[in-house]
Amino acid sequence: MFADRAKIILQSGKGGNGHISFRREKYVPNGGPDGGDGGKGGDIVFLVDEGMNTLSEYRFRRKFAAQNGEEGRKKNCSGRDGEDLILKVPEGTVIKDAASGKVIADMSGENQRQIILKGGRGGLGNQHFATATMQAPKYAKPGQESLEIEVLLELKVIADVGLVGFPNVGKSTLLSRVTNARPKIANYHFTTLSPNLGVVDLDGGKGFVMADIPGLIEGASEGVGLGHEFLRHIERTKVMIHMVDAASTEGRDPIADIYAINQELKAYNPDLLEKPQVIAANKIDAIYGEDNDVITKLREEFASKGVDVFPISAVSGKGLKELLYHVSSLLEGMEDQPIVYEQEFDPSLTILKEEPYTIERADDAAYVVEGPKIDKMLGYTNIESEKGFLFFQKFLKEQGILKELEERGIQDGDTVRMYGHEFDYYK
């Protein structure tokens, strides 16, 4: 099965913690702090790989994590940075936030490499906190936390022209006739199970990329048939060719088919109907006699809408030259740049991995505050020292904990308890 969608979890690397240590050398009785900084966590980077054409590598693995930065070491040695995680995807892959559906990155055009999640900064070692009055600081800064997000990968084929139409109208036959593509062709519905691309080369004209978009039937926008899986591939095309069976070999009405397909396009994305359309009335070699009422009716129906009708035979090649040169002329008036979606969401600017804290009243009326970040900070901070206590108090303020304590009615002199540490609150 053609893999053009995948939902995965990304996690950048955590920054390494700063180190606490002091010089201990012979003949150096008063060695100062020499704790090194933690290393930076690895980034999550997406890279376009021209050799890939599906997202199959992401179908059976859910989580991808970059390497954490190492903790700092003594003698002012910094920890090693975590390695970036490079994720390769085919060109045309759109990366979206799974929760909101907003675009994080579109790996198309000039955007061949992009950092999606940045690794956490390394924490500062205790060497940075020495002052004239505090020459032996016993605390260091923890590394910045990693970021985690669930993303949706969607491969949207990059093609100038999209072939749309009901199954078995000859789209694959046309593509194989006018391009170098070799799609599977057979006389039954849903022969094509993945978008096929080919390059159309015209003598003296401008070549273009054509894609056969499979699976469009009534109800496609609601997931009927294969349409729900492949409608997204039409979004990048600049011109659409509606293929219909002019000979009605299966008893279908070509005019009704065009309206049905347009309705599905509108239900999926109304902007799709703004794209130029051309009608290719196929299988004219199967129309008997000189009376060609189908072509006449098609032209009468769609001429007022600015849609040209070209009678063709994908098997014999009749009418193909006129169709292709007309499509080429439509493309000449358009920008020669692929349609690239703008970024709507930057996960690095959002706190994606929150570590909540709790505030409860104990039986002795003390305020008990707990949480992973608080526990971690206490492990790296000497709150017995004045400098360390001020450092920790600043942390509580930045996290909004002091504000919440005040909102809960804490008064001067009340006791605050955190993981075995107690202190009296004073504003």
Side-chain angles (χ1 to χ4, degrees), residues 8-30:
I8 59 176
I9 296 172
L10 306 176
Q11 184 178 8
S12 62
K14 176 189 177 299
N17 297 322
H19 190 66
I20 302 173
S21 63
F22 300 90
R23 288 182 64 189
R24 291 293 182 265
E25 299 177 25
K26 194 174 182 180
Y27 308 119
V28 185
N30 297 315

Side-chain angles (χ1 to χ4, degrees), residues 150-210:
E150 186 177 37
V151 299
L152 177 65
L153 307 182
E154 286 188 348
L155 177 58
K156 298 175 186 283
V157 166
I158 299 177
D160 300 305
V161 178
L163 282 173
V164 298
F166 275 73
N168 213 27
V169 295
K171 299 191 298 296
S172 296
T173 303
L174 174 62
L175 191 70
S176 66
R177 178 90 187 189
V178 302
T179 75
N180 55 355
R182 293 294 176 264
K184 181 180 178 181
I185 300 171
N187 188 30
Y188 56 86
H189 291 178
F190 298 125
T191 306
T192 304
L193 298 178
S194 64
N196 292 302
L197 279 77
V199 178
V200 177
D201 291 318
L202 300 176
D203 294 334
K206 188 176 181 181
F208 53 86
V209 178
M210 180 183 291

Side-chain angles (χ1 to χ4, degrees), residues 83-386:
E83 290 186 8
D84 296 340
L85 180 63
I86 309 295
L87 300 177
K88 296 182 179 180
V89 292
E91 185 170 10
T93 300
V94 179
I95 305 163
K96 295 181 177 181
D97 172 39
S100 65
K102 293 182 178 180
V103 175
I104 297 173
D106 185 352
M107 307 305 294
S108 307
E110 297 180 357
N111 189 28
Q112 300 291 296
R113 185 181 190 276
Q114 183 163 336
I115 298 174
I116 301 301
L117 286 182
K118 293 182 180 180
R121 294 189 301 271
L124 299 177
N126 69 333
Q127 59 170 309
H128 294 279
F129 301 100
T131 65
T133 57
M134 176 59 66
Q135 298 182 9
K138 296 181 180 179
Y139 55 88
K141 194 172 183 180
Q144 191 178 42
E145 290 298 322
S146 61
L147 296 178
E148 182 174 302
I149 185 175
E150 186 177 37
V151 299
L152 177 65
L153 307 182
E154 286 188 348
L155 177 58
K156 298 175 186 283
V157 166
I158 299 177
D160 300 305
V161 178
L163 282 173
V164 298
F166 275 73
N168 213 27
V169 295
K171 299 191 298 296
S172 296
T173 303
L174 174 62
L175 191 70
S176 66
R177 178 90 187 189
V178 302
T179 75
N180 55 355
R182 293 294 176 264
K184 181 180 178 181
I185 300 171
N187 188 30
Y188 56 86
H189 291 178
F190 298 125
T191 306
T192 304
L193 298 178
S194 64
N196 292 302
L197 279 77
V199 178
V200 177
D201 291 318
L202 300 176
D203 294 334
K206 188 176 181 181
F208 53 86
V209 178
M210 180 183 291
D212 170 12
I213 310 297
L216 298 189
I217 61 175
E218 290 176 278
S221 59
E222 299 174 0
V224 178
L226 301 176
H228 189 67
E229 297 298 320
F230 299 116
L231 271 165
R232 69 181 65 90
H233 296 296
I234 305 174
E235 293 184 85
R236 290 198 196 271
T237 61
K238 299 174 182 177
V239 175
M240 282 186 287
I241 297 179
H242 277 269
M243 280 199 75
V244 294
D245 179 0
S248 298
T249 56
E250 296 186 351
R252 303 193 59 86
D253 179 359
I255 294 177
D257 282 357
I258 293 172
Y259 280 121
I261 293 295
N262 276 337
Q263 183 59 39
E264 297 307 319
L265 297 177
K266 180 180 179 180
Y268 178 76
N269 183 351
D271 293 339
L272 294 179
L273 295 185
E274 301 299 321
K275 298 178 184 291
Q277 298 187 13
V278 177
I279 296 173
N282 191 29
K283 303 185 182 181
I284 59 170
D285 52 318
I287 298 178
Y288 298 98
E290 300 296 327
D291 189 11
N292 204 338
D293 288 341
V294 175
I295 304 301
T296 301
K297 290 179 180 178
L298 282 167
R299 285 174 171 160
E300 289 176 351
E301 182 69 25
F302 293 101
S304 61
K305 298 176 175 60
V307 180
D308 293 311
V309 178
F310 291 85
I312 66 166
S313 170
V315 173
S316 69
K318 184 177 181 180
L320 296 185
K321 182 177 180 180
E322 292 79 5
L323 170 67
L324 297 179
Y325 274 96
H326 177 71
V327 170
S328 179
S329 67
L330 292 176
L331 291 171
E332 286 179 3
M334 301 179 181
E335 292 184 5
D336 190 22
Q337 293 292 331
I339 298 173
V340 179
Y341 297 93
E342 297 292 331
Q343 184 181 34
E344 300 172 330
F345 182 82
D346 185 352
S348 292
L349 299 179
T350 307
I351 299 176
L352 299 169
K353 189 179 180 182
E354 297 181 352
E355 292 183 325
Y357 59 85
T358 60
I359 299 177
E360 297 179 355
R361 295 295 296 271
D363 293 339
D364 60 357
Y367 289 82
V368 180
V369 184
E370 294 183 343
K373 281 189 177 180
I374 298 171
D375 187 23
K376 194 175 299 181
M377 180 61 75
L378 284 168
Y380 286 89
T381 306
N382 179 18
I383 64 172
E384 301 299 325
S385 69
E386 181 181 358

Side-chain angles (χ1 to χ4, degrees), residues 393-426:
Q393 194 174 41
K394 181 182 177 182
F395 164 79
L396 296 178
K397 183 178 180 180
E398 290 175 347
Q399 296 297 313
I401 297 172
L402 293 181
K403 182 179 179 181
E404 186 168 339
L405 284 170
E406 292 169 1
E407 290 175 351
R408 294 199 177 202
I410 194 169
Q411 301 294 322
D412 287 351
D414 287 349
T415 300
V416 177
R417 187 177 298 133
M418 297 181 182
Y419 292 100
H421 296 272
E422 287 190 359
F423 58 90
D424 294 333
Y425 172 84
Y426 288 100

Side-chain angles (χ1 to χ4, degrees), residues 9-60:
I9 296 172
L10 306 176
Q11 184 178 8
S12 62
K14 176 189 177 299
N17 297 322
H19 190 66
I20 302 173
S21 63
F22 300 90
R23 288 182 64 189
R24 291 293 182 265
E25 299 177 25
K26 194 174 182 180
Y27 308 119
V28 185
N30 297 315
D34 67 350
D37 301 340
K40 176 185 174 297
D43 299 334
I44 298 289
V45 182
F46 276 79
L47 181 70
V48 171
D49 185 343
E50 295 181 356
M52 295 178 65
N53 54 20
T54 74
L55 296 171
S56 57
E57 292 188 13
Y58 303 98
R59 289 184 63 191
F60 304 108

